[in-house]
Amino acid sequence: MESVLSPAASVQTRPRKKRIQAWKWAPYLFISPFLIIFCVFGIFPLLFSATLSFAQWDPAAGFGAIKWIHFDNYKFVLTDSWFWKSLGNTVYIAIASGLPQHLVAIPFAAFLSTVIRGRNAVLGAYFVPFITSSVAIALIFSSLFSKDFGAINAILMSLHNLPGIGIIFPDHKIDWLLDTSLVKPTVSFVVFWRYVGWNTVLYLAAMQTIPEDLYEAATLDGAGTFRKFWHITLPMIRPMMFFAVSLTLINNLQLFEEPFILLGDNGGIGQAGMTTAMYMYRTAFYFSDFGTACAISWVMFIVIAVLSYGNHKLFALAGGKEE
């Protein structure tokens, strides 16, 4: 059947080519470097580790050597005594270093909030450990805790020679980093020292947003310093407490640098200070078992997620976390 349309009508019905409007694509072009880098260094490693947790892989043999073994890596991790020991060490250090951070930082921030002169200088001094390299901090403390040449043992021995109070101090040098009963408290102290200044800054920032009217009204009602702190300061900084505790929880359960440098890659005598992150590192780079290392990382992700959710529910129950 012949077409009845005239040549002019066929020209009108022909679809027009859309002109590329560069200004519409410009925003995507500008943010594309970030998206490319994020996908390459953020999304891809995440998905690859999740995939590799279900496989065995020898990196030297290339991607073709990946062998799927389903949930065997997870079964091995959950029945591995070394994993549970490293997890116990991690939880011990996380609690021993994390809890004192907040118990010290909150009252110290409350004190600094009442001080005007010299507050920034003191705050800066406490913040220095947080921005200092963890490698440098670990090396300094390894010298301080040295049995024969450390300053801490020298101070304790000097205090032991004082009359009257000398009996409460040890009469011998202590091996802080080789005594299995002291390894975890020593590492916990280093972590506490490093992060207490950071938490102080967080709490001080939250306290400076509290309206002065509340304190003035409480003063007129006869409230003392402790009652104002308990009934005004603490409730008002609960959202910041939730944020700071969450950060402490996440960071401490991923602790790696301080014990790695202080104790070595095996976590010290009897692996007394080996954290889960260190165990995962050894599994991947010492035993070349990347599949099991990826499974450990995802098990720790689940542990951190569950504890973070529990922390969220506790603060929500107390009324400090906004839903």
Side-chain angles (χ1 to χ4, degrees), residues 22 58 74 168 196 293:
D58 182 6
Y74 289 95
I168 64 176
V196 66

Side-chain angles (χ1 to χ4, degrees), residues 112-181:
L112 286 179
S113 65
T114 63
V115 177
I116 303 299
R117 181 175 297 179
R119 179 175 60 190
N120 292 334
V122 175
L123 199 60
Y126 270 86
F127 196 68
V128 166
F130 179 73
I131 60 177
T132 304
S133 167
S134 57
V135 176
I137 291 174
L139 291 175
I140 291 173
F141 273 95
S142 65
S143 300
L144 293 175
F145 284 118
S146 172
K147 180 181 178 182
D148 297 323
F149 309 105
I152 294 177
N153 274 332
I155 294 173
L156 292 177
M157 295 300 293
S158 300
L159 293 174
H160 176 74
N161 295 327
L162 293 177
I165 63 172
I167 191 173
I168 64 176
F169 296 100
D171 59 350
H172 60 279
K173 294 181 178 178
I174 300 175
D175 206 344
W176 299 97
L177 298 176
L178 292 179
D179 188 334
T180 55
S181 63

Side-chain angles (χ1 to χ4, degrees), residues 54-78:
F54 297 98
Q56 279 185 337
W57 181 47
D58 182 6
F63 289 104
I66 294 178
K67 179 182 178 182
W68 303 107
I69 57 174
H70 306 292
F71 289 93
D72 288 357
N73 286 330
Y74 289 95
K75 293 177 182 176
F76 173 78
V77 170
L78 296 178

Side-chain angles (χ1 to χ4, degrees), residues 14 57-58 66 73 79 87 96-97 102 118 121 131 139 145 170 175 179 187 208 220 229 246 253-254 259 269:
R14 185 182 302 167
W57 181 47
D58 182 6
I66 294 178
N73 286 330
T79 57
L87 183 60
S97 64
H102 300 276
I131 60 177
L139 291 175
F145 284 118
D175 206 344
D179 188 334
V187 175
Q208 289 178 335
L220 292 176
F229 173 77
S246 298
L253 290 178
Q254 300 181 83
I269 300 296

Side-chain angles (χ1 to χ4, degrees), residues 8-297:
S10 62
V11 171
Q12 291 179 353
T13 57
R14 185 182 302 167
R16 295 181 178 179
K17 292 184 179 179
K18 292 184 178 179
R19 298 180 60 183
I20 298 176
Q21 297 175 319
W23 61 273
K24 287 186 175 180
W25 293 96
Y28 300 101
L29 180 64
F30 291 146
I31 65 173
S32 60
F34 164 76
L35 293 177
I36 293 172
I37 294 174
F38 179 71
C39 290
V40 172
F41 296 102
I43 299 298
F44 173 73
L46 196 66
L47 298 178
F48 187 62
S49 68
T51 304
L52 206 57
S53 66
F54 297 98
Q56 279 185 337
W57 181 47
D58 182 6
F63 289 104
I66 294 178
K67 179 182 178 182
W68 303 107
I69 57 174
H70 306 292
F71 289 93
D72 288 357
N73 286 330
Y74 289 95
K75 293 177 182 176
F76 173 78
V77 170
L78 296 178
T79 57
D80 183 18
S81 60
W82 286 107
F83 168 75
W84 289 107
K85 182 175 183 178
S86 66
L87 183 60
N89 293 338
T90 304
V91 173
Y92 180 103
I93 296 174
I95 295 174
S97 64
L99 187 60
Q101 287 178 30
H102 300 276
L103 295 179
V104 172
I106 292 176
F108 187 59
F111 169 73
L112 286 179
S113 65
T114 63
V115 177
I116 303 299
R117 181 175 297 179
R119 179 175 60 190
N120 292 334
V122 175
L123 199 60
Y126 270 86
F127 196 68
V128 166
F130 179 73
I131 60 177
T132 304
S133 167
S134 57
V135 176
I137 291 174
L139 291 175
I140 291 173
F141 273 95
S142 65
S143 300
L144 293 175
F145 284 118
S146 172
K147 180 181 178 182
D148 297 323
F149 309 105
I152 294 177
N153 274 332
I155 294 173
L156 292 177
M157 295 300 293
S158 300
L159 293 174
H160 176 74
N161 295 327
L162 293 177
I165 63 172
I167 191 173
I168 64 176
F169 296 100
D171 59 350
H172 60 279
K173 294 181 178 178
I174 300 175
D175 206 344
W176 299 97
L177 298 176
L178 292 179
D179 188 334
T180 55
S181 63
L182 297 176
V183 165
K184 285 191 281 290
T186 303
V187 175
S188 301
F189 174 78
V190 176
V191 178
F192 159 78
W193 177 83
R194 187 181 184 198
Y195 290 101
V196 66
W198 161 255
N199 287 298
T200 302
V201 172
L202 292 181
Y203 289 128
L204 180 61
M207 290 176 187
Q208 289 178 335
T209 64
I210 300 175
E212 287 294 330
D213 297 348
L214 297 177
Y215 291 110
E216 293 173 359
T219 303
L220 292 176
D221 290 339
T225 303
F226 178 77
R227 293 188 65 184
K228 286 189 285 188
F229 173 77
W230 188 260
H231 294 288
I232 297 177
T233 304
L234 284 183
M236 294 296 290
I237 66 170
R238 272 179 186 160
M240 181 59 78
M241 290 172 65
F242 167 75
F243 176 70
V245 171
S246 298
L247 286 183
T248 301
L249 186 68
I250 295 171
N251 290 333
N252 285 5
L253 290 178
Q254 300 181 83
L255 191 65
F256 178 81
E257 295 169 340
E258 288 84 356
F260 185 84
I261 299 172
L262 283 171
L263 307 172
D265 54 9
N266 61 354
I269 300 296
Q271 288 75 38
M274 184 170 64
T275 62
T276 306
M278 293 173 64
Y279 181 58
M280 180 177 61
Y281 173 83
R282 285 177 60 83
T283 302
F285 296 102
Y286 280 73
F287 309 128
S288 298
D289 191 352
F290 286 85
T292 302
C294 291
I296 293 173
S297 69

